[in-house]
Structure formats: C-alpha cells, structure tokens
Amino acid sequence: MTKFDFVFLKKKSVMVILGLLSLGLLLISIGTANGKNEVKSTEKSDFNEEEYTLNLESDAAEMINSVSGVKSCRVNVTVECTYEKVYAKDGNDVMKIRSSNGDENGLELTVKMPKVRGVAVVYKGNDSSYVKKEIVSLVSALFDIPSNRIYVGCR
C-alpha cells in the first residue's frame, strides 16, 4: 500500500464518520423541533361503569356460548366500586405536571379498574352438572373470582 492509498482511505473514513454524525444531529434536531420533549398530560375521559360492565358481560357471554352444551346465555356482572387512579408521589406529595395550557394535574401512573364481585349466568342448553361446572370454571378463571360468587342456572 502506498502513501497515497493510505491518505485516500483515511480521508474516506473521516468523510463517512462526518456524514453519519451530521445525519444523527439532523435526526435529533427533527425530533426536538416537533415538541417531543414537552411532557403532556394523559387526562382520560370520565369512567362509565355501565359501559365497562356491559363489555365484561358481552365478552363473558361470547366465551360461555362456546362451551359445549350451551346454546345461548345471558350474563350479569357486579363490580365492587368505580375505578381508581394511582398517581406518582414524591414522599407525601403528589407529583404534578403542567399541561400546555398551564393547568397542573397529578402525574397519573395507572388506572385500577373495578374488581368483579359476582357473576350470574342463565343459559339455554344442556341442563347437566358437567356444563354448569364448565361454566363456573370458565367464569372463575375469566374474572379471578371464587366459585361461591358465581351463579349458573339453566332456563
């Protein structure tokens, strides 16, 4: 390798490194120009308990209708209470964030949905203890509740 080849390779590698650095800086500047470094509030709409329970009931009915021996069913779900928001804390104080319009809200970590307290299932189909046991097992696994909080009846 001659001295000329060595200098040419050195210049080429420096140009590639400079090109990659400039591309990286360009991507970083595009990301911050769109306001991505601004913390936004994740305020959710009001919780609708009726809609929540209706969704639970329809999902459970769909699963129960897939059990062998069940032709159709109706499900009623009872929940313990409304939802609960969990906020980030710094010691005893709730951490606050300021939205773009100047409002301060607590920093919401998560929302705990209401726990299912009990389930009632009335179905058409085979009135056997096996089908009832299958429905109880399914509902118990689906909602993580004990079998004494589940009613199953055949119509």
Side-chain angles (χ1 to χ4, degrees), residues 42-138:
T42 57
E43 192 63 31
K44 297 186 183 206
S45 61
D46 291 335
F47 175 75
N48 187 340
E49 183 178 342
E50 185 177 342
E51 184 179 320
Y52 177 70
T53 55
L54 285 174
N55 285 337
L56 290 177
E57 291 168 358
S58 66
D59 290 347
E62 186 178 327
M63 291 294 294
I64 293 167
N65 282 327
S66 67
V67 172
S68 178
V70 176
K71 293 180 182 172
S72 66
C73 71
R74 290 189 57 200
V75 178
N76 192 324
V77 174
T78 306
V79 293
E80 278 187 0
C81 61
T82 63
Y83 75 108
E84 175 185 357
K85 290 184 178 181
V86 178
Y87 294 97
K89 288 189 175 184
D90 184 19
N92 290 333
D93 299 327
V94 173
M95 295 176 72
K96 304 249 181 192
I97 57 172
R98 188 179 311 263
S99 65
S100 58
N101 63 0
D103 294 339
E104 280 192 6
N105 296 317
L107 180 60
E108 188 178 299
L109 291 178
T110 186
V111 175
K112 291 182 180 179
M113 299 309 282
K115 290 185 179 181
V116 174
R117 185 173 184 109
V119 178
V121 178
V122 178
Y123 72 97
K124 274 186 183 176
N126 189 354
D127 187 17
S128 71
S129 60
Y130 175 76
V131 173
K132 289 180 180 180
K133 180 180 168 281
E134 287 295 307
I135 293 172
V136 168
S137 296
L138 174 69

